[in-house]
Amino acid sequence: MIELIQADDDSGARLQAHLPGEKDTETLGIALATALRPGLRIWLQGNLGMGKTTLTRGVLRGLGHEGRVKSPTYTLIEPYVVSRLDLYHFDFYRFNSPDEYLDAGLDEYFAGEGVCLVEWPDKALPYLPSPDVEIRLEARGDGRFVEIDGNTEAGRTCVIELVKAIRGADPAPKTI
């Protein structure tokens, strides 16, 4: 079960949660899918094995994708046309220099209406556009700790909708 942790500012534009298992990370992704809007740029941050691709798999399952979901570590991008959105899953782990982002000609994806989920965004800085939503995953205790921040108006709306999706109709429950 996803265990929500109340944020200090309680603005609704930040979510903190404990994810005890891999299934919970995927469930968070499924809930995130309900809050996505065209054009969102989402950064997925965390060390190897923290669940970035698992979260993306959940997002894709939530959008109706039934096929295989793999990390684009070698291909840089995996495009998906699902449900109501074009979703682009990027992985910049193998970049040796931020200039590789420019050389790959990826700017067009970030300028359009597709949702861009980016693993290892720091490897493409300073060229990568700023995120609407930042998701940080880390090992903590018996699972993962996730912190999600909405950095723009669209990002804050996304995080607020995500919290609503996790809590359901009743704002009191802290887990799903």
Side-chain angles (χ1 to χ4, degrees):
M1 280 209 242
I2 297 172
E3 301 166 17
L4 286 178
I5 301 167
Q6 194 69 7
D8 293 338
D9 65 5
D10 199 30
S11 70
R14 168 176 274 188
L15 179 149
Q16 296 175 319
H18 177 250
L19 307 168
E22 183 176 336
K23 185 68 178 158
D24 302 303
T25 303
E26 193 167 328
T27 299
L28 178 64
I30 291 168
L32 178 59
T34 66
L36 295 180
R37 299 297 175 261
L40 282 174
R41 295 176 309 267
I42 301 171
W43 288 8
L44 304 172
Q45 300 181 38
N47 291 330
L48 289 170
M50 288 301 107
K52 296 178 296 290
T53 300
T54 300
L55 182 72
T56 300
R57 181 182 318 113
V59 168
L60 287 162
R61 295 289 181 254
L63 293 171
H65 178 74
E66 296 177 6
R68 189 166 177 248
V69 176
K70 61 181 182 156
S71 178
T73 301
Y74 294 99
T75 60
L76 295 182
I77 180 173
E78 287 291 332
Y80 299 90
V81 178
V82 286
S83 182
R84 57 190 164 74
L85 298 170
D86 291 337
L87 187 136
Y88 305 107
H89 180 199
F90 298 90
D91 186 333
F92 299 143
Y93 178 74
R94 299 241 178 252
F95 278 5
N96 292 313
S97 162
D99 291 334
E100 291 181 57
Y101 172 81
L102 296 177
D103 295 341
L106 301 174
D107 283 342
E108 65 188 68
Y109 291 100
F110 292 90
E113 289 296 307
V115 172
C116 296
L117 293 171
V118 183
E119 295 188 36
W120 301 97
D122 55 308
K123 300 259 188 171
L125 292 176
Y127 305 116
L128 188 65
S130 298
D132 296 297
V133 176
E134 283 185 86
I135 300 176
R136 290 171 297 284
L137 293 151
E138 65 180 60
R140 192 178 290 179
D142 61 347
R144 302 285 183 264
F145 175 77
V146 64
E147 189 171 52
I148 304 174
D149 287 303
N151 297 333
T152 64
E153 191 59 39
R156 287 186 284 279
T157 299
C158 177
V159 174
I160 290 167
E161 291 300 314
L162 171 59
V163 170
K164 288 178 184 176
I166 290 171
R167 289 184 174 165
D170 181 359
K174 298 284 187 189
T175 61
I176 63 170

